Amino acid sequence: MPKGYFNRILWVDLSTGRTEVGSYPEDTWRQYLGGSALATRILSEEVPPGTDPLSPDNCLIFAVGPYQGTGLPGSAKWAVVGKSPLTGTFAVSTGGAEWGVRLKGAGLEAIVLKGRAQVPSLLYVNEDGAELRPTALWGRDAVETAELAKREVGDPDAAVATIGEAGERQVAIACIAADSHSFAGRCGLGAVMGSKNLKAVVVSGRRRAVAADPEALKRLRADLAARLARANRDGFHAHGTAGIVSDCEAIGDLPMKYWQGDRWPEGAARIGGQRFTDHLRARSWPCHSCPVGCHRRIDLNGEYRIQGGAGPEYESLGMLGACCLVDDLDAVAWANDLCNRLGLDTISAGSFVAFTMECYEKGWLTREDLDGREATWGNGDFLVHLVEQIGRREGFGATFARGIREAARAVGPRAEAITVEVKGLDFPAHDPRTYFSLAINYATSTRGACHLRGFPHCGEAGMMLPEVGLDKPPVRFSMEGQAQLAKLFQDYSTALDSAVCCCFMQITGQGLGETARAINAITGWDMTPEEFLRVGERAFNLQRLINVGDGISRKEDRLPPKMFEAAKEGFRAGKVPEPFEVTLLEYYALRGWDEDGRPSPPTLRSLGLAQG
């Protein structure tokens, strides 16, 4: 076995409480690394096409990789994979805080959960084994559960991944919260956890996998930590991701008025940057071994009160704030805190509220539909009210229990035409009319619209990968070169999710070659940057095979109509990502997929994924 691994996978049958530990040969680890790639392989083997995501037959797979336990910057991450109740197909999400480090410390690479517990339960895992036990925490919010679960198992040093009320009620955008301040937010995997009657996974351990070259690893760790801290001193470390709100607004990247707006400079200034830091008394709340410290702990006094809670990130400010034209920072921070406690994805929650506001403006919804309330743009009170209803599956909020597509059908055909999603997953707070590479990335993402399972907009903004030939960005507002950029960054991000390393390290200064060297120092391999990307390409194609098995084809690789409506003013005035269909076919050809978006037999053989 390579260094850096324990080669132990915990399999848990929740229906019976039985557990067993399995392993894989070394070539599997080199092909998949761990994290999301390994979990993708397990999902493809264990969950047949068409499986109901909320049935006991779906798997929920938590996984780490060689990075965890090394102290390397970005090594706090962990991945969770399953079938999504929102999209009906492959889902992956990642979180941070302490949880992934403690899972590795328990001597495990992954936990595979199948079945459904007979009563509300928690899983407690430590170096000595695992135990499924009934819990009295059902009904508690996701923030308070972190401390209560540690008390329940009698282990104050444990880390806790849990769901809130939204997960218990199987709301399709329910998330998984780690240690009260990091969230595996997208795709509704919290609902999958709730469908399994599982309130929390509590992990504890301080084992360290032995590195192949400890001295090289130590030098690299020190260099990266110091360099990334310097690089972020005036960036994410100063204001967290809230620091980029106004910058994104200036280039038309911030979603406004449910993707209808062009400019909102005053509003952006009111919810981001220095005002965010001053008004919320925001201070850094870094994940384990992180020199960037983008998360924020905040205090809020007045009508809404938050003491030491996790503050909104850029995506939350964009979707709960700008997308709804809500510039009341108190209301946005409180809606974000409600999402955290209920266990809701803030991106989709904000999208749902903005969708409702547009439907109300157009007269498709009335006050009678909305419990006598007015869903006017900028209405912070309505934002808070509807977020709470969504999380509790009450009132009009219950319309969104299965996601934006079913909600739009309930409102009517005209509402279906205005939704902003791909494969059922709502857009994050970055606009493909500003970064054309995101048009292809969103359309082809294996989990639905996503800016992190592929972050090619960073390449457009100047993040180069000279180790694999990317030494200049494509021409802005041109589709030329965007298919290649999308493919490259999708492979890169999938490989990072397999290592598992936070992409903010790369975005803020860590090179692809340094990531490969870190893996080699841990494992003793001689992995090149090209081979590292090949790990991502292999996993991405396997994810696409899962999509295809679930009925995904070219017809789902699309953008909503709004993305072809150009701005009338501002940085992206008159710009739309065309020719889209031509570029999509170019992307398919680069991937080695046929014209319907299916990976070809030669492509699968080249990646070691050939069937039979």
Side-chain angles (χ1 to χ4, degrees):
M1 276 305 299
K3 299 291 187 180
Y5 292 91
F6 293 108
N7 192 20
R8 300 176 72 246
I9 313 297
L10 177 66
W11 296 77
V12 182
D13 183 339
L14 295 169
S15 299
T16 64
R18 287 196 297 267
T19 65
E20 61 179 314
V21 174
S23 62
Y24 287 102
E26 179 168 354
D27 63 347
T28 298
W29 294 108
R30 185 150 183 170
Q31 288 179 332
Y32 293 93
L33 285 179
S36 70
L38 180 71
T40 298
R41 172 172 163 164
I42 294 170
L43 188 75
S44 72
E45 294 171 343
E46 295 292 323
V47 181
T51 297
D52 179 352
L54 297 178
S55 76
D57 296 329
N58 191 13
C59 282
L60 191 64
I61 307 155
F62 294 88
V64 291
Y67 251 64
Q68 280 58 61
T70 63
L72 282 164
S75 61
K77 299 294 279 190
W78 48 275
V80 59
V81 164
K83 290 283 188 79
S84 165
L86 195 62
T87 67
T89 190
F90 173 82
V92 60
S93 196
T94 58
E98 303 280 334
W99 197 88
V101 177
R102 294 287 177 261
L103 176 60
K104 188 82 169 190
L108 295 170
E109 313 296 343
I111 300 173
V112 184
L113 303 166
K114 203 166 187 177
R116 176 181 290 141
Q118 302 300 312
V119 297
S121 302
L122 65 75
L123 180 68
Y124 178 44
V125 180
N126 60 24
E127 296 176 47
D128 298 322
E131 179 188 3
L132 184 69
R133 48 171 88 172
T135 181
L137 297 177
W138 204 258
R140 296 284 195 165
D141 75 47
V143 173
E144 66 181 349
T145 295
E147 287 303 317
L148 294 173
K150 287 190 276 189
R151 291 183 208 165
E152 195 166 279
V153 301
D155 188 345
D157 294 326
V160 181
T162 188
I163 58 173
E165 193 171 347
E168 295 172 6
R169 293 174 182 255
Q170 298 172 38
V171 176
I173 61 167
C175 68
I176 300 173
D179 305 323
S180 300
H181 76 105
S182 183
F183 302 86
R186 310 234 63 198
C187 299
L189 291 175
V192 175
M193 196 162 156
S195 75
K196 296 185 176 303
N197 246 351
L198 189 64
K199 179 63 175 179
V201 181
V202 184
V203 293
S204 182
R206 297 189 177 276
R207 294 180 64 184
R208 289 288 185 94
V210 177
D213 191 340
E215 288 304 313
L217 183 62
K218 181 179 178 181
R219 290 193 299 271
L220 187 59
R221 181 172 59 229
D223 175 65
L224 286 172
R227 181 151 50 84
L228 291 169
R230 289 194 300 271
N232 284 280
R233 187 170 294 123
D234 297 321
F236 288 145
H237 192 72
H239 300 295
T241 56
I244 66 172
V245 173
S246 287
D247 291 340
C248 288
E249 188 282 331
I251 61 172
D253 192 35
L254 184 71
M256 295 158 272
K257 202 179 181 184
Y258 200 45
W259 307 92
Q260 301 173 91
D262 300 342
R263 298 299 317 278
W264 198 57
E266 295 83 6
R270 283 184 57 80
I271 65 173
Q274 189 68 53
R275 184 169 188 273
F276 172 95
T277 298
D278 293 344
H279 185 72
L280 298 178
R281 292 193 286 172
R283 55 270 191 206
S284 182
W285 195 354
C287 297
H288 189 278
S289 301
C290 181
V292 176
C294 65
H295 294 315
R296 284 296 179 270
R297 189 192 299 266
I298 65 168
D299 296 329
L300 178 63
N301 297 306
E303 180 183 357
Y304 308 116
R305 291 184 60 81
I306 302 168
Q307 297 299 319
E313 307 282 347
Y314 166 78
E315 299 296 328
S316 307
L317 294 165
M319 299 308 297
L320 296 169
C323 201
C324 303
L325 296 185
V326 174
D327 64 1
D328 179 348
L329 187 54
D330 287 16
V332 174
W334 185 250
N336 179 81
D337 192 68
L338 276 173
C339 286
N340 294 347
R341 292 180 179 278
L342 291 165
L344 280 178
D345 172 17
T346 59
I347 294 175
S348 285
S351 184
F352 292 175
V353 176
F355 164 82
T356 303
M357 289 175 169
E358 183 173 347
C359 289
Y360 183 81
E361 179 186 50
K362 287 178 162 55
W364 305 338
L365 291 172
T366 67
R367 289 183 60 171
E368 288 68 33
D369 296 316
L370 304 173
D371 307 314
R373 294 175 180 265
E374 295 192 46
T376 49
W377 294 111
N379 188 334
D381 290 338
F382 182 78
L383 167 71
V384 169
H385 169 75
L386 188 54
V387 163
E388 190 163 15
Q389 281 199 329
I390 292 167
R392 296 208 162 104
R393 206 166 173 169
E394 296 173 347
F396 183 74
T399 308
F400 297 98
R402 296 273 66 84
I404 192 68
R405 287 187 173 182
E406 289 201 14
R409 289 189 198 106
V411 175
R414 292 174 297 179
E416 292 182 70
I418 70 166
T419 60
V420 181
E421 48 83 13
V422 171
K423 301 179 179 70
L425 186 66
D426 309 277
F427 271 34
H430 293 283
D431 199 314
R433 294 168 295 185
T434 282
Y435 292 111
F436 283 7
S437 63
L438 286 176
I440 297 299
N441 188 66
Y442 286 177
T444 61
S445 172
T446 56
R447 77 168 190 175
C450 179
H451 68 297
L452 289 178
R453 270 72 225 160
F455 42 97
H457 56 303
C458 295
E460 286 194 71
M463 177 183 170
M464 298 294 97
L465 303 175
E467 301 93 338
V468 291
L470 180 64
D471 52 13
K472 63 178 181 180
V475 175
R476 199 64 180 268
F477 295 124
S478 166
M479 290 298 274
E480 185 175 353
Q482 305 294 8
Q484 177 65 50
L485 196 68
K487 176 189 180 298
L488 178 59
F489 274 88
Q490 284 172 342
D491 293 345
Y492 191 15
S493 67
T494 306
L496 289 171
D497 280 354
S498 306
V500 182
C501 178
C502 176
C503 68
F504 271 33
M505 305 305 112
Q506 283 70 25
I507 290 170
T508 61
Q510 181 173 324
L512 172 57
E514 289 173 314
T515 304
R517 286 200 298 276
I519 290 171
N520 292 336
I522 296 165
T523 63
W525 294 330
D526 56 355
M527 183 173 281
T528 62
E530 292 84 358
E531 185 183 353
F532 179 68
L533 292 184
R534 193 74 163 166
V535 172
E537 183 178 14
R538 179 177 298 109
F540 192 90
N541 275 269
L542 188 53
Q543 292 165 11
R544 181 67 178 195
L545 285 178
I546 294 171
N547 291 160
V548 170
D550 291 324
I552 302 297
S553 64
R554 181 175 174 176
K555 68 180 184 298
E556 287 283 356
D557 292 346
R558 59 157 185 82
L559 292 180
K562 281 181 179 176
M563 294 304 107
F564 300 103
E565 297 173 2
K568 294 181 175 59
E569 61 176 321
F571 180 77
R572 56 177 171 80
K575 308 298 184 184
V576 294
E578 291 282 20
F580 175 77
E581 290 294 334
V582 171
T583 310
L584 179 65
L585 288 176
E586 179 189 350
Y587 170 89
Y588 283 179
L590 289 168
R591 278 270 176 226
W593 296 355
D594 67 20
E595 290 193 357
D596 202 36
R598 293 179 301 235
S600 68
T603 296
L604 297 178
R605 284 195 296 271
S606 73
L607 294 168
L609 297 174
Q611 307 288 315

